[in-house]
Amino acid sequence: MASGFAAAATDIPPLPEPVSNQLVLHTSVRGQPYLASFAGIGAAKTAAAMHNKVWQLSSGQSNWQNIAVLPTASRVNGRIATTGVVLNKQFFILGGYGQSSDGKSGTLADSYRFSPVTQSYSKLPDMPVAVDESVAFAHKDRYIYLLAGFHNSGAVNLVQLFDNFTQKWSQATPLPGSAVFGHAGVLVGNEILFCDGVKTTIAADGKQQFETEAACYLGNISDKNANNISWRPAPHHGGKARTRQGAIAVEVNGETMAAFIGGSETPYHLNGVTDDGKAIEPSSAIYLYSFKQQKWLKAAPSETAVMDLRSLVLIDGEIFSIGGMLAGQQVGNTAIKHKIKLLPE
C-alpha cells in the first residue's frame, strides 16, 4: 500500500528547525502514514542545544506538526543518541543520552511507547542496563532487541530483549567481538546483521580513547527461544569502519538487502569535531549486503553525504534520512533521498 507521502525528498517538507542525532520513525495506520522526529540536537551543536522536541507529519499536511515533547524520568532538557523501532504500528523510543539543567549528564534508562494516532505516550519499564547509541530491532510483532551501546563510561556487549506481551526485559545471547556503540544493523526474518561502530580502549597514558571497529557479525534468532541467538563473524564490507551511519532493509532487484548509508569514519563530539580539533566530514558511501547471496555488493555513493544518524526510513520503497549533520558540520532540516544503484562487480 502506498504510504501517502510522495517518494521524493522535495515532497517531504523541511523540519521546523535543523536537528541531528534524532530518532525518525515511519509507519502507516489504516492507510494513513505517519512520520515522526523525536528529540535530538539543534544547529548550535552544544549540550544546551539538545532538546526533547517532537514533530509529526501525516498525509495532507503541508508542514510538520508540533507534538507534546518526549517525556523524561530524569528531568533532562534534551535527549540524543536514542534508539527506537516501530512495533504494532506504534513508535518505541528507547534510552539515549541527556543532560539536566544542573549540568549533570549520562545515559538514560527510561523508554516510551508513542501512538502516532492519539499522539500519546506510555512509559515502558526501564531497561536493565541503560544504553545510548545502541541498535534496536522489532521481531515477530512482539519482541524488541537492543544491541550493545554506550553505558555511562564505556561500551557494553549486552543484547537486551523486551517482550511487549509481558512488558518485561531479559538478557539474550551477548554479542561476540568488541563491545561497541554507534554501530548499525538490520533484522531480516530471523537473521541480524550489524557492522562497525566505536569501541573504547585505554591508551598508554591510561586515558580512555575511542576507535572505530571494522567488523560485522550475523546472528540467527532461535525459533524456539527468543533469548537464544547464534552469532558468527560475517565478512566486512571492505570500506573504512563508520560510526553514526544508518542501516535499513530494502528490496533491490527482488532481493531483501541491508543498506548501510552515510556516517563518519572518525568518532567525534556533539559539534562534529574530534578531541584534537579536527572537523569531521560525513561519508556518502553506501554498502549493500545480500542475505541471499551472502556477500557484499557494490553500490554507487549517495548524492548527499550525511552523518549523525539514528535511523533511516523507508517510504514507498525509497530510503530517506531526515535532518542529520551535513558537510561542514552543518545541521540539516530536510529529507535526503538515498538512491540505491548497483555497480558492476
Side-chain angles (χ1 to χ4, degrees), residues 15-24 36-55 66-72 75-82 93 95-100 108 121 270 308 322-324 331-333:
L15 289 164
E17 57 190 66
V19 61
S20 189
N21 212 295
Q22 86 276 35
L23 177 66
V24 179
S37 172
F38 295 92
I41 189 168
K45 296 172 292 183
T46 63
M50 292 162 51
H51 61 73
N52 295 312
K53 297 175 184 177
V54 178
W55 299 290
N66 290 317
I67 303 299
V69 298
L70 184 62
T72 170
R75 299 182 180 178
V76 294
N77 295 331
R79 185 186 300 242
I80 61 170
T82 190
I93 305 102
Y97 175 89
Q99 179 168 296
S100 58
L108 306 174
Y121 296 94
L270 296 177
D308 220 35
I322 311 291
V331 177
N333 69 336

Side-chain angles (χ1 to χ4, degrees), residues 63 65 74 103 105 165 198 205 209 241 263 329:
N63 294 296
Q65 306 300 305
S74 306
S105 61
F165 286 7
V198 175
D205 60 4
Q209 60 186 10
Q329 303 81 52

